[in-house]
Amino acid sequence: VEQSPPQSPGPGKAGDAPNRRSGHVRGARVLSPPGRRARLSSPGPSSSSEAREELRRRLRGLIERSRVMIFSKSYCPHSTRVKELFSSLGVECNVLELDQVDDGAKVQEVLSEITNQKTVPNVFVNKVHVGGCDQTFQAYQSGLLQKLLQEDSAYDYDLIIVGGGSGGLSCAKEAAILGKKVMVLDFVVPSPQGTSWGLGGTCVNVGCIPKKLMHQAALLGQALCDSRKFGWEYNQQVKHNWETMTKAIQNHISSLNWGYRLSLREKAVAYVNSYGEFVEHHKIKATNKKGQETYYTAAQFVIATGERPRYLGIQGDKEYCITSDDLFSLPYCPGKTLVVGASYVALECAGFLAGFGLDVTVMVRSILLRGFDQEMAEKVGSYMEQHGVKFLRKFIPVMIQQLEKGSPGKLKVLAKSTEGTETIEGVYNTVLLAIGRDSCTRKMGLEKIGVKINEKSGKIPVNDVEQTSVPYVYAVGDVSEGKPELTPVAIQSGKLLARRLFGASLEKCDYINVPTTVFTPLEYGCCGLAEEKAIEVYKKENLEIYHTLFWPLEWTVAGRENNTCYAKIICNKLDHDRVIGFHILGPNAGEVTQGFAAAMKCGLTKQLLDDTIGIHPTCGEVFTTLEITKSSGLDITQKGCG
């Protein structure tokens, strides 16, 4: 759905005074003035919402039944140009002149809800929304229009999804439920270390799921230490077995892979384990691991190929380093580890590796957790440092050398300062790179069909209904430019996309106030704006920030440190102290944040928090008793557990 930029009122805009001059279209069948008999709105007494639904249904019916459907105004020169184009092609089209039907304004209003386009002409070809005059002529010049004019039945599938991760599978299953013929193409290119995996994408195989399970393994180690203070007595030496853990985690992941395949089969979605590459409009080449090629066509496509870890581009990186692609199925304990990067992936991995008792160093180029609230990020780093993780700040690796082979072997890392000429060397068993991820979009033939990508990032610009620069191609998940790179976001956007394409829904994915949690040893949960971003958007004088340190009850007997956990809310003084940023550093931060995220969706204010009765004794209750503002400068340290 191509959006028209705001323009000054001109011909063909909603709200223009209608000129009922009837237009003649050469070679086109025109639904001109239909009179009352052909009115699109629902006759008889009914509620306005029912009438609107009925009008939407009838409009969709027109679009579904027409090879070419043009919503036009008889006096609009842009509409005339488009009608003449189809006439010159000898293509019969249905035209509804909105200035010549009694309820044309309502029709245009409902049509703009369906397409996000407020202007005429509004053109559909074989059920695909092409757009207005300029888009139609661009499609004609690129050959796309001619391709769209082929009979819909000529396609093998209604929808082909490239990528079998969270977003792709969600979209595929929903489209199949709505009765469409769907295929999923999914192929995992092995990592430089040769690691590959099954259906389900990053989250299930090499992301959220194994990460959270390894985080849990580390938390259990901490719980064992705490348990002695609570009276548990055990004499045998406690140690962690890497192989036992990874085997159990991989078994769980394998069961999830199988579950996804079964779910697709039950919904009659074709699953093909092949690499997808566009070769021409509506046509994709699928290459399997044996190099065999098969071609498929579809009316519409969804790109959901996600991202893969980035490498440093220095000597020895791909030969000797691993990434999160390799870590969760690593067949041996990584030993003394250097983690390169300051992303949430870097800190989460460093945290649980240290939790297993390993010697862990994190090499940081600049700041921790870029894009997150920096006060919270520094507190995350400080806690990790106090609990045995070493940090090398303002350094980047320039060369990796193998000193010894083995499982693990020995690697020498040469690094240089980002602020001077200083260089340092270190010897590690494993070097884990977590410096960011790159979108998997560059080798799939997008340029052959005209899908624009951001050349720097590889991400695909989409509008607010996930549509790319090519009308029949959509993108969801981490490849979409400017969208949160989170599994639940991909799932939601994929599901809603299928409902808009094939159901009666108009609901778009809401990307505002998406909650998330960083599963570092002390978890950090957040929803809404970071403090820096809030100040940038609303200005400091319009904000009130409430905060406190707190001591979880579970930590008191265990003898763990007070004044480490931290809670903060950022309120907009100009809007009834509405909470625009929620931040918590403490145990189970994800569980706490999830509930408050729902409250923020409902318009949470400081007064509503104050009016909420807390559950005692919990960490979450701290948000119902916040009193101290940052601007007051008062001490927030706690003397005991409230």
Side-chain angles (χ1 to χ4, degrees):
V1 179
E2 301 226 3
Q3 289 182 310
S4 301
Q7 299 168 10
S8 58
K13 296 282 173 65
D16 287 349
N19 172 356
R20 292 186 177 270
R21 197 159 41 85
S22 62
H24 177 69
V25 183
R26 289 174 284 127
R29 179 159 56 86
V30 183
L31 304 179
S32 61
R36 292 190 177 277
R37 188 175 54 82
R39 280 186 65 189
L40 285 166
S41 57
S42 176
S46 65
S47 73
S48 61
S49 63
E50 285 173 355
R52 204 172 184 80
E53 272 309 307
E54 175 65 9
L55 180 54
R56 186 176 291 124
R57 189 183 66 76
R58 294 185 180 206
L59 281 175
R60 284 205 177 274
L62 271 179
I63 294 162
E64 294 276 331
R65 291 191 300 272
S66 306
R67 186 184 180 203
V68 176
M69 184 70 221
I70 303 173
F71 296 91
S72 165
K73 288 185 179 175
S74 61
Y75 55 84
C76 169
H78 305 295
S79 298
T80 302
R81 280 188 69 207
V82 165
K83 288 180 279 194
E84 286 176 347
L85 171 64
F86 284 106
S87 177
S88 71
L89 295 171
V91 174
E92 190 177 291
C93 48
N94 282 353
V95 181
L96 183 65
E97 302 290 4
L98 299 184
D99 58 317
Q100 295 179 356
V101 293
D102 292 344
D103 46 1
K106 274 187 187 169
V107 172
Q108 189 156 4
E109 202 176 303
V110 173
L111 194 61
S112 73
E113 289 176 3
I114 295 171
T115 64
N116 265 6
Q117 181 184 317
K118 294 182 172 66
T119 57
V120 293
N122 209 330
V123 181
F124 292 82
V125 178
N126 272 330
K127 297 178 278 192
V128 172
H129 181 243
V130 176
C133 180
D134 288 349
Q135 292 97 325
T136 303
F137 273 87
Q138 284 165 11
Y140 171 61
Q141 284 154 10
S142 70
L144 172 58
L145 188 64
Q146 296 84 322
K147 189 74 181 171
L148 284 171
L149 285 165
Q150 290 181 355
E151 286 301 313
D152 201 24
S153 60
Y155 299 125
D156 301 325
Y157 291 89
D158 296 306
L159 178 68
I160 289 179
I161 292 163
V162 189
S166 304
L169 292 178
S170 166
C171 188
K173 288 186 278 192
E174 195 67 25
I177 288 167
L178 292 166
K180 297 301 169 183
K181 190 179 180 186
V182 183
M183 170 184 275
V184 171
L185 286 174
D186 185 61
F187 187 84
V188 179
V189 177
S191 76
Q193 296 298 327
T195 311
S196 191
W197 49 87
L199 184 63
T202 296
C203 170
V204 167
N205 294 283
V206 289
C208 325
I209 299 295
K211 174 268 301 286
K212 179 79 184 287
L213 290 171
M214 288 197 175
H215 172 62
Q216 173 64 12
L219 291 182
L220 288 171
Q222 179 68 60
L224 278 167
C225 294
D226 292 351
S227 70
R228 290 188 190 272
K229 296 278 182 73
F230 282 91
W232 288 95
E233 297 174 1
Y234 49 90
N235 299 318
Q236 68 270 37
Q237 186 189 359
V238 177
K239 61 176 185 172
H240 182 261
N241 186 299
W242 176 273
E243 290 80 3
T244 302
M245 175 189 67
T246 50
K247 185 180 177 184
I249 289 173
Q250 290 305 313
N251 284 344
H252 175 65
I253 290 170
S254 295
S255 73
L256 295 176
N257 298 148
W258 174 247
Y260 285 126
R261 294 187 71 158
L262 206 60
S263 179
L264 292 182
R265 192 180 304 163
E266 285 168 354
K267 291 176 175 61
V269 174
Y271 162 57
V272 177
N273 184 203
S274 294
Y275 187 88
E277 184 183 348
F278 288 94
V279 288
E280 58 182 78
H281 279 300
H282 290 278
K283 190 173 187 179
I284 199 161
K285 177 175 74 176
T287 308
N288 68 15
K289 59 184 176 185
K290 294 178 182 174
Q292 295 164 330
E293 297 174 357
T294 313
Y295 294 85
Y296 301 100
T297 59
Q300 312 210 63
F301 290 83
V302 172
I303 299 165
T305 45
E307 298 182 311
R308 295 289 292 273
R310 188 176 300 147
Y311 282 78
L312 288 162
I314 62 170
Q315 184 183 326
D317 63 345
K318 288 187 177 176
E319 294 87 346
Y320 308 124
C321 299
I322 65 168
T323 68
S324 55
D325 279 358
D326 312 293
L327 179 65
F328 302 113
S329 58
L330 201 67
Y332 53 85
C333 180
K336 184 181 178 183
T337 302
L338 174 69
V339 179
V340 181
S343 63
Y344 71 89
V345 177
L347 298 190
E348 287 174 338
C349 293
F352 64 66
L353 290 175
F356 303 148
L358 302 181
D359 181 330
V360 179
T361 303
V362 179
M363 186 177 285
V364 181
R365 180 173 58 91
S366 54
I367 61 172
L368 302 180
L369 297 177
R370 185 177 298 280
F372 288 89
D373 185 291
Q374 282 302 293
E375 180 183 28
M376 304 304 290
E378 282 304 317
K379 286 180 181 293
V380 165
S382 174
Y383 182 88
M384 290 176 67
E385 208 156 13
Q386 286 163 27
H387 287 258
V389 177
K390 297 186 280 291
F391 282 83
L392 275 173
R393 291 190 179 242
K394 309 281 186 180
F395 277 93
I396 53 169
V398 290
M399 187 169 66
I400 317 283
Q401 286 180 320
Q402 187 179 59
L403 300 178
E404 288 177 22
K405 291 184 178 180
S407 302
K410 272 191 183 173
L411 301 171
K412 184 167 84 171
V413 178
L414 179 66
K416 69 169 186 181
S417 167
T418 59
E419 295 184 330
T421 56
E422 185 188 356
T423 61
I424 54 170
E425 282 185 5
V427 177
Y428 304 91
N429 299 119
T430 299
V431 177
L432 171 69
L433 303 181
I435 56 170
R437 299 171 67 80
D438 291 320
S439 297
C440 303
T441 55
R442 297 191 193 274
K443 294 180 181 175
M444 53 185 302
L446 294 178
E447 70 287 350
K448 290 176 188 164
I449 59 168
V451 173
K452 292 187 174 71
I453 69 167
N454 181 318
E455 285 304 324
K456 188 177 178 186
S457 68
K459 285 186 177 282
I460 302 173
V462 293
N463 61 17
D464 65 348
V465 286
E466 284 77 49
Q467 191 178 38
T468 71
S469 57
V470 172
Y472 64 88
V473 181
Y474 297 80
V476 297
D478 290 3
V479 293
S480 303
E481 189 172 56
K483 303 292 190 287
E485 296 176 8
L486 297 165
T487 293
V489 170
I491 292 170
Q492 180 84 330
S493 60
K495 181 170 65 178
L496 294 178
L497 171 59
R499 288 179 184 172
R500 288 195 307 274
L501 290 177
F502 306 119
S505 172
L506 294 172
E507 188 183 353
K508 299 169 190 171
C509 188
D510 183 0
Y511 295 102
I512 306 299
N513 285 346
V514 174
T516 192
T517 293
V518 181
F519 291 100
T520 35
L522 191 55
E523 297 176 10
Y524 164 38
C526 59
C527 184
L529 299 179
E531 188 175 332
E532 297 85 359
K533 187 68 178 174
I535 290 168
E536 180 190 320
V537 173
Y538 293 100
K539 296 194 170 50
K540 193 170 186 175
E541 61 269 24
N542 298 322
L543 301 175
E544 197 69 87
I545 298 167
Y546 295 85
H547 66 154
T548 187
L549 293 161
F550 64 97
W551 197 16
L553 180 65
E554 298 85 345
W555 285 27
T556 55
V557 170
R560 294 173 69 182
E561 54 271 80
N562 193 356
N563 296 310
T564 299
C565 299
Y566 180 64
K568 170 168 78 172
I569 58 167
I570 303 161
C571 300
N572 180 5
K573 290 198 283 194
L574 302 180
D575 186 18
H576 310 287
D577 268 343
R578 194 169 306 285
V579 179
I580 57 170
F582 174 96
H583 303 270
I584 181 169
L585 185 68
N588 304 301
E591 307 297 341
V592 175
T593 305
Q594 184 68 79
F596 284 103
M600 286 179 68
K601 209 82 170 161
C602 300
L604 181 67
T605 62
K606 177 64 168 68
Q607 187 61 54
L608 285 168
L609 276 176
D610 292 345
D611 294 344
T612 301
I613 295 171
I615 301 170
H616 189 68
T618 64
C619 293
E621 72 172 320
V622 73
F623 288 97
T624 68
T625 58
L626 288 171
E627 293 175 343
I628 299 175
T629 63
K630 266 197 172 183
S631 56
S632 73
L634 293 173
D635 183 23
I636 57 169
T637 56
Q638 302 295 301
K639 303 298 180 281
C641 177

